[in-house]
Amino acid sequence: MNGVRLSDIASAATAAAVAIGLVLALTPDKTPSAPPQPADTLSLRLPQAEHEPPTALFIGDSYTAGPGPRELSPSCLAASRLGWLCHLSAVPGTGYVSGGPSNRFTVDDYRGESTSFSERIPLLANQFDPDIVILDGGRNDQFPPRANVLAAMVATIADARRAWPEAEIVFERPRFLSRPNDDLGFDESFTNRLLRDPDARGVSVIDPIRAIDGRDTSNLLSDDGIHPNRQGELDLAAAITASLVDQRFAADA
């Protein structure tokens, strides 16, 4: 653990942007994604860590993973632009509730039965010691009552805190690129209730897809009309990067 905070990233945002290339540290996840075009988004020089760059762990769904190689996922593209090493645990169809005991399903022949975000944490804690943990889900959790989803989100944050007590915990608000102005019922009131819970105190909240609202996103979608295409992945990665840097979230905010 390097002890690097998101507030350090905010301080570094005033430095000149430079192009950086980083080797990503990846989990043995088998989720695929399409090769991107050359990135044209912001690259930042972060304060030099004493030993290694900060490490981020993204826990999420198919939006987190993208449809191709893990290193080219929107999540890891954003991490690389911030100078972070990237670990990824992203399983299609899962969420804080979806994929768990009340909604178990078979992911595929390789991964077998699904797991919710919180169910993955013990195994991930044995594998990784991240500086930043980004929880990116909720898109697949629209079927249970909102109170149940809220409780599951809070419990997942608490589990992440116990697993990685020194890590920065980031909650990414769920949206679809096809309708960036739709909060899926996870509105400001919902988010405020989440943050008022003692177990979620100090959590940083980002809402990257909301920044794309007002644009015609039809050219950013794959043939299913839901998931990003190659350009959509790049735009989503840029939005995640901007949310983590420009919004200046910090653990004690």
Side-chain angles (χ1 to χ4, degrees):
M1 179 70 63
N2 301 303
V4 177
R5 316 302 292 178
L6 287 184
S7 52
D8 297 331
I9 297 167
S11 300
T14 56
V18 296
I20 55 174
L22 296 169
V23 177
L24 303 177
L26 302 167
T27 67
D29 182 5
K30 287 289 182 184
T31 310
S33 185
Q37 298 170 349
D40 58 356
T41 53
L42 185 64
S43 294
L44 301 175
R45 186 187 302 278
L46 298 187
Q48 291 297 312
E50 184 178 351
H51 299 295
E52 295 181 349
T55 299
L57 170 62
F58 290 84
I59 302 176
D61 55 24
S62 57
Y63 254 67
T64 315
R70 297 178 301 277
E71 63 270 23
L72 301 181
S73 67
S75 305
C76 284
L77 283 174
S80 71
R81 289 164 185 162
L82 292 169
W84 300 348
L85 301 178
C86 181
H87 300 302
L88 188 65
S89 175
V91 181
T94 64
Y96 296 93
V97 176
S98 185
S102 63
N103 183 234
R104 195 82 70 196
F105 59 88
T106 300
V107 179
D108 53 38
D109 292 340
Y110 177 81
R111 285 171 289 194
E113 294 295 291
S114 62
T115 53
S116 65
F117 291 3
S118 64
E119 290 177 308
R120 292 180 222 163
I121 288 176
L123 178 60
L124 293 170
N126 288 332
Q127 295 177 297
F128 307 116
D129 188 21
D131 297 288
I132 306 104
V133 177
I134 297 94
L135 301 170
D136 175 22
R139 300 174 188 87
N140 301 306
D141 292 323
Q142 298 179 63
F143 62 93
R146 280 291 178 268
N148 293 7
V149 180
L150 178 63
M153 288 175 169
V154 170
T156 302
I157 291 168
D159 289 342
R161 278 252 171 80
R162 283 189 290 270
W164 303 290
E166 297 180 38
E168 183 91 12
I169 308 296
V170 178
F171 176 83
E172 185 170 333
R173 290 180 66 177
R175 294 181 188 269
F176 287 105
L177 198 60
S178 55
R179 40 186 209 277
N181 64 338
D182 185 353
D183 58 28
L184 306 180
F186 302 109
D187 56 13
E188 290 295 334
S189 174
F190 181 94
T191 305
N192 290 337
R193 290 199 303 277
L194 174 73
L195 296 177
R196 281 197 298 268
D197 192 287
D199 284 332
R201 187 163 298 158
V203 167
S204 298
V205 178
I206 62 173
D207 196 357
I209 292 180
R210 180 67 176 83
I212 302 175
D213 187 21
R215 291 175 49 188
D216 178 5
T217 59
S218 59
N219 65 328
L220 303 179
L221 303 175
S222 62
D223 291 341
D224 67 9
I226 298 173
H227 294 87
N229 59 18
R230 183 171 61 180
Q231 186 58 51
E233 289 180 314
L234 292 176
D235 283 26
L236 181 54
I240 295 169
T241 303
S243 292
L244 289 168
V245 176
D246 296 339
Q247 300 304 316
R248 298 174 181 263
F249 287 107
D252 56 355

